[in-house]
């Protein structure tokens, strides 16, 4: 557009406008080039990080083998060589959460789309109502974090009771959230744990 406007040399306003258009075009092009360079650098850095991670894992595995050979009579010593708190969780350790739900409210207990949610649908979960005040709660799958349960699957959990279901039974395949609703004027103490 700037080049076409520059062709009208007899109209000074169009010549001035062509300079502005070309300047704006060059600025946008430079910004886009810089953005693409950053995206490329990000990809290169990610690849470098992954390569470094693999090398570290291979060396740790090699060291583990040597330590297993050296301390075969007393393998507990090997734990001293690794900071186990830095290693990725596998989902096999005990996982639980608990809290108090205010009167007449809904919360999302589980976000099935969360990248940190790494449990297979067959994983068993215990959801407990720890309340002693007689308040009941409803557990249900939902596609929003705040809408009340529809006509689909829902489980009433009475005060002092628990249910044990798989994530599949609780809607992990087909819904975005596992929600909890307090339908009472009293608070509900709840707990969820992977069993």
């Amino acid at each position: 557009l700037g080049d076409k406007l520059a062709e009208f040399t007899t109209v000074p306003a169009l010549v001035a406008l062509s300079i502005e258009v070309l300047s704006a075009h060059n600025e946008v092009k430079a910004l886009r080039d810089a953005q693409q360079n950053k995206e490329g650098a990000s990809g290169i850095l990610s690849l470098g990080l992954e390569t470094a991670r693999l090398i570290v894992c291979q060396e740790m595995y090699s060291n583990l083998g040597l330590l297993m050979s050296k301390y075969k009579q007393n393998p507990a010593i090997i734990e001293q060589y690794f900071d186990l708190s830095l290693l990725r969780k596998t989902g096999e350790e005990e996982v639980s959460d608990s809290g108090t739900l205010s009167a007449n409210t809904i919360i999302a207990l589980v976000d099935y789309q969360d990248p940190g949610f790494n449990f297979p649908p067959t994983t068993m979960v215990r959801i407990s109502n720890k309340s002693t005040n007689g308040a009941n709660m409803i557990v249900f799958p939902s596609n929003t974090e705040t809408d009340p349960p529809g006509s689909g699957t829902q489980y009433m959990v009475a005060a002092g009771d628990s249910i044990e279901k798989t994530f599949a039974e609780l809607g992990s395949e087909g819904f975005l959230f596992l929600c909890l609703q307090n339908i009472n004027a009293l608070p509900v103490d709840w707990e969820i744990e992977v069993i």
Side-chain angles (χ1 to χ4, degrees):
L1 177 64
D3 293 335
K4 286 290 182 190
L5 289 172
E7 291 174 8
F8 295 98
T9 56
T10 58
V11 183
L14 291 179
V15 173
L17 183 59
S18 74
I19 293 170
E20 286 184 47
V21 169
L22 286 172
S23 174
H25 171 74
N26 290 336
E27 184 178 345
V28 168
K29 186 177 183 311
L31 290 171
R32 179 63 180 142
D33 288 345
Q35 180 185 24
Q36 287 178 323
N37 287 338
K38 287 180 182 178
E39 290 170 357
S42 176
I44 291 168
L45 292 175
S46 293
L47 182 61
L49 182 61
E50 178 63 12
T51 302
R53 184 191 68 80
L54 290 173
I55 291 169
V56 168
C57 289
Q58 289 168 352
E59 292 303 316
M60 286 178 67
Y61 189 68
S62 174
N63 289 340
L64 178 60
L66 294 170
L67 291 169
M68 289 169 62
S69 176
K70 182 174 181 175
Y71 297 111
K72 59 185 164 228
Q73 301 299 324
N74 190 3
I77 292 174
I78 296 170
E79 289 181 20
Q80 297 172 8
Y81 289 88
F82 298 97
D83 185 353
L84 300 178
S85 69
L86 298 177
L87 299 178
R88 183 181 296 163
K89 294 182 178 181
T90 63
E92 296 175 4
E93 53 279 320
E94 183 178 316
V95 178
S96 66
D97 195 9
S98 61
T100 300
L101 186 58
S102 302
N104 301 305
T105 56
I106 297 173
I107 61 166
L109 287 180
V110 176
D111 179 350
Y112 291 128
Q113 306 304 303
D114 186 326
F117 181 80
N118 59 356
F119 298 100
T122 55
T123 303
M124 286 294 286
V125 181
R126 178 182 302 121
I127 301 174
S128 303
N129 182 340
K130 300 288 191 176
S131 300
T132 56
N133 59 12
N136 298 330
M137 63 185 194
I138 298 173
V139 178
F140 63 97
S142 178
N143 283 320
T144 70
E145 297 178 75
T146 56
D147 285 346
S151 58
T153 303
Q154 48 187 285
Y155 302 96
M156 176 74 71
V157 185
D161 247 349
S162 297
I163 60 168
E164 293 181 1
K165 302 285 180 189
T166 65
F167 277 117
E169 292 173 305
L170 294 170
S172 66
E173 298 172 331
F175 289 93
L176 301 178
F177 302 98
L178 176 63
C179 293
L180 177 64
Q181 181 181 27
N182 179 356
I183 57 173
N184 308 281
L186 302 169
V188 170
D189 296 321
W190 58 269
E191 180 181 65
I192 180 170
E193 55 189 324
V194 174
I195 54 175

